[in-house]
Amino acid sequence: MIILASQSPRRRELMKYITNDFEIKVSDVDETLPDGISPSDAVVYLSAIKARPFANGSDTVIGADTVVSINGEILGKPADKADAAAMLGKLSGNTHSVFTGVTVIRGEKEESFFVETKVKFFDLTDDEIENYIATGEPLDKAGAYGIQGFGALLVEKIDGDYFNVVGLPVSKLNRMLMGC
């Protein structure tokens, strides 16, 4: 049995590219990050603490977490509309990184990796930011945007794995699961 330890509907959809034979399980873990942790270490740390509660020696457990980072600052999910506007303002006209960490636990073996994708936003007007926030889309997403939705209109270009920005680097995860 494969367990996906994630409540993200986007990860559930992306996991179906690899297999339809998986179960969703979610644990309430403390996602407080250690001070000074890098974005790449943060997503690996978070993916591991999400997966570990379901490790039982027989199932394959997959945990994942995604953060947006600009100039070393980690942007998680916005607290409210004002926080979303502030985040989008920071991203406007700039290139940022999206990191997704994945932890796979099989038996006693735990392996983790992260993928980084660079994303450049257009210069955004205050009206564009306000209109995007009005869609409701940015309020539950790291960095206050979803590239797979209306947030695509904010993106000038990406360098790297598109699915990583959505929330699960499916090709790398698939290769890991296949033992490549």
Side-chain angles (χ1 to χ4, degrees):
M1 168 63 79
I2 295 176
I3 297 169
L4 177 61
S6 176
Q7 60 188 0
S8 165
R10 292 159 298 283
R11 284 195 192 100
R12 290 176 195 175
E13 287 302 310
L14 292 175
M15 189 66 191
K16 291 178 184 176
Y17 287 126
I18 297 171
T19 182
N20 283 314
D21 188 20
F22 66 95
E23 182 179 322
I24 300 292
K25 291 190 179 179
V26 181
S27 177
D28 187 25
V29 296
D30 179 4
E31 295 188 32
T32 304
L33 293 171
D35 289 338
I37 193 168
S38 70
S40 58
D41 288 342
V43 292
V44 168
Y45 170 81
L46 291 169
S47 70
I49 66 170
K50 289 177 178 182
R52 288 180 186 143
F54 306 107
N56 59 21
S58 61
D59 294 327
T60 297
V61 183
I62 301 166
D65 197 81
T66 302
V67 300
V68 171
S69 174
I70 185 161
N71 301 323
E73 179 185 357
I74 295 173
L75 304 179
K77 294 177 184 176
D80 53 29
K81 290 179 181 182
D83 194 25
M87 286 184 189
L88 293 166
K90 286 179 185 180
L91 300 177
S92 175
N94 292 307
T95 299
H96 61 276
S97 293
V98 178
F99 292 89
T100 299
V102 177
T103 296
V104 177
I105 303 173
R106 289 186 262 203
E108 299 300 314
K109 188 174 180 184
E110 178 177 313
E111 293 180 89
S112 297
F113 68 86
F114 73 91
V115 173
E116 177 183 6
T117 302
K118 300 282 189 178
V119 180
K120 181 168 188 330
F121 268 26
F122 288 107
D123 286 317
L124 305 176
T125 66
D126 289 343
D127 282 346
E128 285 176 298
I129 290 172
E130 186 178 309
N131 289 339
Y132 179 55
I133 292 170
T135 69
E137 187 177 276
L139 299 178
D140 71 337
K141 294 176 180 56
Y145 78 96
I147 196 169
Q148 72 283 358
F150 293 109
L153 303 175
L154 314 176
V155 176
E156 183 175 342
K157 66 179 179 175
I158 71 168
D159 181 13
D161 183 344
Y162 167 81
F163 292 110
N164 180 59
V165 182
V166 178
L168 191 67
V170 292
S171 58
K172 186 162 184 173
L173 174 57
N174 185 56
R175 295 185 69 75
M176 176 186 264
L177 293 173
M178 291 182 349
C180 297

